[in-house]
Amino acid sequence: MPSVAVMQRVGQGLVELDAPIQDYLPWFMPDTPITVRQLLNQTSGLDELDGYERNLDPGGPDGLARSIRGLATTELNRPPGTAFEYSNSNADTLGLLIETVTGRPYGDTMAANVFAPLGMTGAFTSLEDARAAGMSRAFYPFFGRQTALDGFMAYTTATQPSAGIIASAADMVPYLRMHLEGGRAGEAQLLSHAGVALLHEPAVVINPEGGVSYAMGWVVWPFPEAAP
């Protein structure tokens, strides 16, 4: 979902896709330019494992900023723009970009500019709020036994953009309709047609044999015509 918020800021002229993230976060790897587009395409060079380990970072009002600042001196796995590697840190860095250009918490931006206009009344950026609204407990079958995972759900502000959106299946319907209908869902126009098309446009190949590529927050692949 950070890709939608970023594209909204692009439409407002607050963000440029091919500008280095350092234009907005000057302290972030100042000697290694990484563009906003590369973060969206998962070609920044940021490490996949680092993205998962950051789930352990503490939250709080400045949890996201502190966590991303911890990446400022990390080593990239490869030069930016050269290859695909999924990392949650890409989405979280974009989340901090959104906070920086809007001057408000990422969760507040999502609630006001995505959830509210789409009528996603059961979508939350806080685990506590979701539980208060009746969110079911999380379970996983360990050795055939359903085991509660509530204590292992590391949803904090540190990784809110990549792993902190909680929504029901019903709430995802208008969100997906918006993507399928040129940025519109009902009376709400969240993105331009061109913006939605760019989000879905293949940018880097993941699996050449299967024709699988990555766009901006989406994995895309061809659907062959069904046999008559």
Side-chain angles (χ1 to χ4, degrees):
M1 283 190 180
S3 59
V4 171
V6 169
M7 200 58 66
Q8 287 178 324
R9 307 291 87 74
V10 170
Q12 295 170 349
L14 297 177
V15 172
E16 294 184 15
L17 289 176
D18 292 312
I21 190 66
Q22 290 82 3
D23 283 3
Y24 311 97
L25 309 175
W27 45 265
F28 189 86
M29 299 185 188
D31 298 325
T32 309
I34 300 172
T35 68
V36 175
R37 189 186 300 270
Q38 288 164 348
L39 290 165
L40 286 163
N41 293 153
Q42 300 281 344
T43 59
S44 65
L46 289 170
D47 182 70
E48 180 177 6
L49 181 59
D50 284 347
Y52 300 138
E53 289 180 341
R54 289 183 39 261
N55 285 330
L56 302 177
D57 287 355
D62 62 344
L64 179 59
R66 284 187 288 110
S67 183
I68 298 305
R69 280 186 176 274
L71 287 175
T73 57
T74 192
E75 291 187 12
L76 298 177
N77 285 344
R78 57 188 57 82
T82 58
F84 172 86
E85 179 178 359
Y86 179 84
S87 176
N88 284 343
S89 295
N90 288 302
D92 292 326
T93 303
L94 291 169
L96 185 58
L97 163 65
I98 294 164
E99 288 196 349
T100 301
V101 300
T102 62
R104 64 193 306 193
Y106 171 80
D108 290 354
T109 295
M110 294 300 293
N113 297 327
V114 179
F115 302 163
L118 291 176
M120 297 171 64
T121 57
F124 303 92
T125 55
S126 161
L127 183 59
E128 292 74 19
D129 290 345
R131 283 176 171 162
M135 172 185 169
S136 64
R137 298 185 67 189
F139 292 86
Y140 189 83
F142 281 108
F143 301 101
R145 180 176 181 179
Q146 295 294 331
T147 304
L149 287 181
D150 291 24
F152 300 95
M153 297 173 69
Y155 292 133
T156 72
T157 55
T159 55
Q160 192 179 67
S162 66
I165 300 296
I166 304 165
S168 69
D171 285 298
M172 295 306 297
V173 171
Y175 178 75
L176 295 175
R177 281 189 58 195
M178 181 270 295
H179 280 275
L180 293 170
E181 298 179 3
R184 176 177 290 276
E187 297 301 316
Q189 184 77 45
L190 271 69
L191 296 172
S192 67
H193 286 261
V196 171
L198 188 56
L199 286 181
H200 301 165
E201 181 179 319
V204 57
V205 175
I206 299 176
N207 181 346
E209 291 78 12
V212 181
S213 299
Y214 195 83
M216 294 181 175
W218 293 87
V219 176
V220 293
W221 63 89
F223 281 85
E225 291 291 337

